[in-house]
Amino acid sequence: MNKILLALCLAFFFQIAQAQTDSTKDFLKIENDELDDIEKLLEDEENEKPKKEFARYAFKSTRVVMGQSMEMVGKGVLDFRILHRFGMLKGGVYELFGLDQASMRMSFDYGIAKNLSIGIGRSTFGKEFDGHFKWRIAHQHTNVNPIPFSLIWVSGITINTIKADPQLHYFFSNRVAYFNQLIIGRKFSDGFTLQLSPTLVHRNLVELRSDNNDMYALGVGSRIRITKRTSFILDAYPLLYGYRQNYHVFPMSIGFDIETGGHVFQLHVSNARGMNEKAFITETTQKWDKGEINFGFNLSRVFTIKKNTQANF
């Protein structure tokens, strides 16, 4: 009899324990479901928060034609660029409309960070080496604390390596020139971009004693999209101060961008032979109205040096 009572008691307590366990499981399941719902709501709220929409592809390249554009080389990306400028078109058939003469510049630009890049180049015109750094201070964006324009600072140096007459006592410092530039640009729509680039060029050595060592210019660059992969481009640098009257002419280039995969190909005509800031701002003397213009092309190819990075163009 006692054994039967003991068995009944054990069965009773087992049922109570089982019921308690089931209740706990149900409670935990409900609690976990509620936590999942809360996490989902938080994720949805996070996704619904407005994000900065940055202006991209304002230009197809980091240069308009001659000068820098408001675009940057992406972090970890190398931009290899060849700029080619032929002789004057007015040379006619004898000079094959300038194709018998040519000058070029080869350069490498590398993105150190999202908003910082450096570059080096070598031009046959003047046998000049050049280097620069480019820092984007502000990037045009909408939604959160919008900024209506991009602001970029560019500073560079050029070194002339042409052999000089030893009797002239030509010092190394005489070969050096510097430039500083502030680019203020805005992408107004997918089809139109405009930028202004106030620029100062300082030359340690000038041609005449009466010449100014400093020259100021106001760069104007624009892009008008024609199709998804082609654009019309304008690059001009009206001279403001320090130029010689009836000698210096402000450089202007017009042309087309053609994007083909990782390449950007530019066809253009220009009155400037030089292809760095010091050369095309301070050494342009050819005049458009006299037909003293040159045909040229620029070729840009980007390479991703570090993985998981993207270029901004």
Side-chain angles (χ1 to χ4, degrees), residues 57-59 70 186-189 191-195 221-223:
Y57 311 108
F59 290 90
M70 58 188 281
R186 175 173 171 80
K187 182 180 180 181
F188 289 88
S189 67
F192 179 67
T193 299
L194 178 67
Q195 69 173 40
S222 182
R223 170 180 173 262

Side-chain angles (χ1 to χ4, degrees), residues 182 195-199 216-221 236-240 250 281:
L182 190 64
Q195 69 173 40
L196 299 177
S197 308
T199 306
Y216 294 86
L218 179 62
V220 180
Y237 279 78
L239 304 177
L240 303 178
F250 80 82
I281 290 177

Side-chain angles (χ1 to χ4, degrees), residues 40-52:
K40 186 177 180 181
L41 287 171
L42 290 175
E43 290 177 0
D44 291 341
E45 289 180 2
E46 185 68 25
N47 293 331
E48 289 176 359
K49 285 183 178 179
K51 296 181 180 179
K52 293 180 179 180

Side-chain angles (χ1 to χ4, degrees), residues 24-299:
T24 303
K25 288 182 179 179
D26 292 340
F27 174 77
L28 291 174
K29 184 176 183 302
I30 293 171
E31 188 178 51
N32 289 334
D33 290 342
E34 291 177 349
L35 288 174
D36 291 340
D37 291 339
I38 293 172
E39 290 178 357
K40 186 177 180 181
L41 287 171
L42 290 175
E43 290 177 0
D44 291 341
E45 289 180 2
E46 185 68 25
N47 293 331
E48 289 176 359
K49 285 183 178 179
K51 296 181 180 179
K52 293 180 179 180
E53 293 290 337
F54 290 100
R56 300 186 184 279
Y57 311 108
F59 290 90
K60 288 294 183 181
S61 171
T62 57
R63 285 185 178 268
V64 184
V65 177
M66 306 173 294
Q68 296 282 346
S69 77
M70 58 188 281
E71 289 295 333
M72 301 288 296
V73 179
K75 179 181 178 181
V77 173
L78 177 69
D79 179 15
F80 172 58
R81 183 178 299 270
I82 296 177
L83 290 75
H84 218 88
R85 202 70 52 82
F86 296 100
M88 286 188 285
L89 294 176
K90 75 173 189 177
V93 177
Y94 181 74
E95 296 289 343
L96 200 58
F97 300 98
L99 296 182
D100 286 351
Q101 305 169 6
S103 59
M104 66 168 291
R105 176 180 180 269
M106 182 172 64
S107 66
F108 298 89
D109 293 356
Y110 181 72
I112 298 176
K114 178 183 177 182
N115 296 313
L116 180 64
S117 66
I118 58 174
I120 56 173
R122 169 61 157 81
S123 300
T124 58
F125 184 82
K127 297 187 182 298
E128 290 180 331
F129 288 93
D130 62 80
H132 75 272
F133 78 85
K134 187 175 183 180
W135 173 37
R136 181 163 55 197
I137 302 170
H139 194 175
Q140 177 186 343
H141 67 267
T142 57
N143 293 338
V144 182
N145 300 322
I147 298 178
F149 57 86
S150 290
L151 186 65
I152 297 95
W153 178 269
V154 188
S155 287
I157 183 174
T158 63
I159 302 173
N160 184 303
T161 62
I162 290 179
K163 292 181 179 180
D165 186 345
Q167 297 180 359
L168 296 177
H169 302 289
Y170 207 62
F171 300 104
F172 175 78
S173 60
N174 299 140
R175 300 179 176 276
V176 180
Y178 310 90
F179 79 92
N180 290 288
Q181 182 178 75
L182 190 64
I183 301 173
I184 308 165
R186 175 173 171 80
K187 182 180 180 181
F188 289 88
S189 67
D190 288 340
F192 179 67
T193 299
L194 178 67
Q195 69 173 40
L196 299 177
S197 308
T199 306
L200 163 66
V201 178
H202 174 84
R203 297 166 292 170
N204 285 346
L205 180 67
V206 292
E207 187 176 352
L208 301 178
R209 288 188 177 182
S210 58
D211 286 345
N212 290 284
N213 292 88
D214 296 331
M215 285 184 65
Y216 294 86
L218 179 62
V220 180
S222 182
R223 170 180 173 262
I224 300 174
R225 190 178 70 170
I226 301 173
T227 67
K228 184 177 181 181
R229 295 188 178 276
T230 60
S231 305
F232 172 81
I233 45 177
L234 167 70
D235 195 14
Y237 279 78
L239 304 177
L240 303 178
Y241 172 82
Y243 61 95
R244 196 188 312 166
Q245 294 284 353
N246 301 319
Y247 180 74
H248 291 111
V249 178
F250 80 82
M252 181 173 70
S253 301
I254 58 175
F256 295 92
D257 274 342
I258 305 171
E259 183 186 9
T260 57
H263 296 79
V264 175
F265 193 62
Q266 294 180 330
L267 300 173
H268 59 267
V269 288
S270 175
N271 66 329
R273 291 291 303 278
M275 287 168 278
N276 62 53
E277 281 73 9
K278 176 258 180 181
F280 66 73
I281 290 177
T282 69
E283 299 179 33
T284 297
T285 58
Q286 299 175 187
K287 298 180 179 180
W288 273 80
D289 57 357
K290 292 186 177 181
E292 297 172 342
I293 56 176
N294 315 293
F295 170 71
F297 68 86
N298 298 340
L299 178 64

